[in-house]
Amino acid sequence: MEPGTRFKVYCSECREKVELPAEEFRLTFGRTPAQAHYSFGCPLCGASVRKPAGEKIVSALTGAGVRTMRLVPAGGSTPG
């Protein structure tokens, strides 16, 4: 992770703008690019915030070394 990288985001709950280090974010990928989202905990109100992640956001977060996770369907198919 690139040291010192920070992002400014708005909390969906308290509507405040906060600045957080890259390590406070998690990037999650779904089956399609449209299902990508990022999440963080608001340091002001304590809310768990989840927002859609478009291509530019995905690029910025992955470039900063944000932890990623890929969702797979429950009971997903297994190789035959």
Side-chain angles (χ1 to χ4, degrees), residues 7 27 29 36 53-66:
F7 294 97
L27 181 61
F29 297 102
E55 193 174 312
K56 288 181 182 180
I57 292 173
V58 167
S59 179
L61 293 176
T62 55
V66 167

mmCIF file of all heavy atoms in Angstrom, residues 7 27 29 36 53-66:
data_model
loop_
_atom_site.group_PDB
_atom_site.id
_atom_site.type_symbol
_atom_site.label_atom_id
_atom_site.label_comp_id
_atom_site.label_asym_id
_atom_site.label_seq_id
_atom_site.Cartn_x
_atom_site.Cartn_y
_atom_site.Cartn_z
ATOM 1 N N PHE A 7 -8.093 9.563 0.985
ATOM 2 C CA PHE A 7 -9.217 9.877 0.112
ATOM 3 C C PHE A 7 -10.263 10.678 0.884
ATOM 4 O O PHE A 7 -10.512 10.407 2.059
ATOM 5 C CB PHE A 7 -9.871 8.591 -0.408
ATOM 6 C CG PHE A 7 -8.978 7.792 -1.307
ATOM 7 C CD1 PHE A 7 -8.254 6.722 -0.811
ATOM 8 C CD2 PHE A 7 -8.854 8.111 -2.646
ATOM 9 C CE1 PHE A 7 -7.433 5.980 -1.632
ATOM 10 C CE2 PHE A 7 -8.024 7.378 -3.481
ATOM 11 C CZ PHE A 7 -7.315 6.306 -2.970
ATOM 12 N N LEU A 27 -12.574 -2.601 -1.106
ATOM 13 C CA LEU A 27 -13.163 -2.587 -2.436
ATOM 14 C C LEU A 27 -13.689 -3.981 -2.731
ATOM 15 O O LEU A 27 -12.965 -4.963 -2.577
ATOM 16 C CB LEU A 27 -12.104 -2.171 -3.460
ATOM 17 C CG LEU A 27 -12.519 -2.061 -4.905
ATOM 18 C CD1 LEU A 27 -13.618 -1.020 -5.100
ATOM 19 C CD2 LEU A 27 -11.305 -1.692 -5.759
ATOM 20 N N PHE A 29 -15.744 -6.558 -5.474
ATOM 21 C CA PHE A 29 -16.158 -6.786 -6.852
ATOM 22 C C PHE A 29 -17.245 -7.842 -6.889
ATOM 23 O O PHE A 29 -17.122 -8.886 -6.258
ATOM 24 C CB PHE A 29 -14.971 -7.263 -7.703
ATOM 25 C CG PHE A 29 -13.874 -6.251 -7.812
ATOM 26 C CD1 PHE A 29 -12.726 -6.372 -7.051
ATOM 27 C CD2 PHE A 29 -13.998 -5.174 -8.667
ATOM 28 C CE1 PHE A 29 -11.710 -5.437 -7.139
ATOM 29 C CE2 PHE A 29 -12.987 -4.229 -8.764
ATOM 30 C CZ PHE A 29 -11.844 -4.369 -8.002
ATOM 31 N N ALA A 36 -19.491 -3.420 -8.512
ATOM 32 C CA ALA A 36 -18.355 -3.064 -7.653
ATOM 33 C C ALA A 36 -18.781 -1.969 -6.673
ATOM 34 O O ALA A 36 -19.555 -1.078 -7.014
ATOM 35 C CB ALA A 36 -17.178 -2.586 -8.495
ATOM 36 N N ALA A 53 -18.753 1.783 -6.905
ATOM 37 C CA ALA A 53 -17.399 2.133 -7.353
ATOM 38 C C ALA A 53 -17.329 2.019 -8.867
ATOM 39 O O ALA A 53 -17.290 0.917 -9.405
ATOM 40 C CB ALA A 53 -16.367 1.232 -6.693
ATOM 41 N N GLY A 54 -17.321 3.163 -9.525
ATOM 42 C CA GLY A 54 -17.146 3.189 -10.975
ATOM 43 C C GLY A 54 -15.696 2.925 -11.346
ATOM 44 O O GLY A 54 -14.819 2.760 -10.479
ATOM 45 N N GLU A 55 -15.439 2.943 -12.618
ATOM 46 C CA GLU A 55 -14.113 2.614 -13.141
ATOM 47 C C GLU A 55 -13.011 3.506 -12.570
ATOM 48 O O GLU A 55 -11.937 3.023 -12.195
ATOM 49 C CB GLU A 55 -14.150 2.734 -14.669
ATOM 50 C CG GLU A 55 -12.965 2.135 -15.361
ATOM 51 C CD GLU A 55 -13.133 2.162 -16.875
ATOM 52 O OE1 GLU A 55 -14.197 1.769 -17.379
ATOM 53 O OE2 GLU A 55 -12.176 2.606 -17.539
ATOM 54 N N LYS A 56 -13.243 4.813 -12.484
ATOM 55 C CA LYS A 56 -12.220 5.737 -11.970
ATOM 56 C C LYS A 56 -11.943 5.489 -10.491
ATOM 57 O O LYS A 56 -10.792 5.539 -10.047
ATOM 58 C CB LYS A 56 -12.648 7.187 -12.182
ATOM 59 C CG LYS A 56 -12.579 7.625 -13.618
ATOM 60 C CD LYS A 56 -12.978 9.072 -13.760
ATOM 61 C CE LYS A 56 -12.946 9.497 -15.216
ATOM 62 N NZ LYS A 56 -13.324 10.906 -15.373
ATOM 63 N N ILE A 57 -12.984 5.224 -9.718
ATOM 64 C CA ILE A 57 -12.810 4.955 -8.283
ATOM 65 C C ILE A 57 -12.064 3.642 -8.087
ATOM 66 O O ILE A 57 -11.149 3.553 -7.272
ATOM 67 C CB ILE A 57 -14.163 4.957 -7.550
ATOM 68 C CG1 ILE A 57 -14.734 6.370 -7.557
ATOM 69 C CG2 ILE A 57 -14.018 4.429 -6.131
ATOM 70 C CD1 ILE A 57 -16.141 6.488 -7.012
ATOM 71 N N VAL A 58 -12.446 2.616 -8.845
ATOM 72 C CA VAL A 58 -11.756 1.326 -8.762
ATOM 73 C C VAL A 58 -10.273 1.511 -9.059
ATOM 74 O O VAL A 58 -9.408 1.012 -8.335
ATOM 75 C CB VAL A 58 -12.392 0.288 -9.714
ATOM 76 C CG1 VAL A 58 -11.496 -0.941 -9.865
ATOM 77 C CG2 VAL A 58 -13.769 -0.117 -9.221
ATOM 78 N N SER A 59 -9.960 2.276 -10.095
ATOM 79 C CA SER A 59 -8.577 2.505 -10.478
ATOM 80 C C SER A 59 -7.804 3.230 -9.363
ATOM 81 O O SER A 59 -6.683 2.848 -9.023
ATOM 82 C CB SER A 59 -8.526 3.308 -11.772
ATOM 83 O OG SER A 59 -7.200 3.568 -12.149
ATOM 84 N N ALA A 60 -8.405 4.268 -8.792
ATOM 85 C CA ALA A 60 -7.739 5.031 -7.727
ATOM 86 C C ALA A 60 -7.514 4.172 -6.488
ATOM 87 O O ALA A 60 -6.421 4.190 -5.904
ATOM 88 C CB ALA A 60 -8.560 6.261 -7.368
ATOM 89 N N LEU A 61 -8.523 3.413 -6.094
ATOM 90 C CA LEU A 61 -8.409 2.599 -4.887
ATOM 91 C C LEU A 61 -7.417 1.454 -5.062
ATOM 92 O O LEU A 61 -6.597 1.198 -4.185
ATOM 93 C CB LEU A 61 -9.777 2.073 -4.453
ATOM 94 C CG LEU A 61 -10.786 3.126 -3.972
ATOM 95 C CD1 LEU A 61 -12.135 2.480 -3.672
ATOM 96 C CD2 LEU A 61 -10.274 3.883 -2.766
ATOM 97 N N THR A 62 -7.484 0.773 -6.194
ATOM 98 C CA THR A 62 -6.539 -0.328 -6.404
ATOM 99 C C THR A 62 -5.127 0.212 -6.553
ATOM 100 O O THR A 62 -4.166 -0.397 -6.076
ATOM 101 C CB THR A 62 -6.910 -1.196 -7.622
ATOM 102 O OG1 THR A 62 -7.030 -0.363 -8.778
ATOM 103 C CG2 THR A 62 -8.198 -1.960 -7.400
ATOM 104 N N GLY A 63 -4.977 1.385 -7.175
ATOM 105 C CA GLY A 63 -3.662 2.006 -7.313
ATOM 106 C C GLY A 63 -3.043 2.364 -5.971
ATOM 107 O O GLY A 63 -1.822 2.374 -5.819
ATOM 108 N N ALA A 64 -3.896 2.646 -4.988
ATOM 109 C CA ALA A 64 -3.416 2.978 -3.645
ATOM 110 C C ALA A 64 -3.231 1.729 -2.787
ATOM 111 O O ALA A 64 -2.834 1.823 -1.634
ATOM 112 C CB ALA A 64 -4.394 3.934 -2.968
ATOM 113 N N GLY A 65 -3.557 0.561 -3.335
ATOM 114 C CA GLY A 65 -3.357 -0.684 -2.601
ATOM 115 C C GLY A 65 -4.480 -1.047 -1.646
ATOM 116 O O GLY A 65 -4.277 -1.829 -0.716
ATOM 117 N N VAL A 66 -5.678 -0.501 -1.882
ATOM 118 C CA VAL A 66 -6.819 -0.825 -1.018
ATOM 119 C C VAL A 66 -7.135 -2.317 -1.101
ATOM 120 O O VAL A 66 -7.060 -2.927 -2.177
ATOM 121 C CB VAL A 66 -8.050 0.027 -1.428
ATOM 122 C CG1 VAL A 66 -9.326 -0.474 -0.782
ATOM 123 C CG2 VAL A 66 -7.809 1.484 -1.070
#
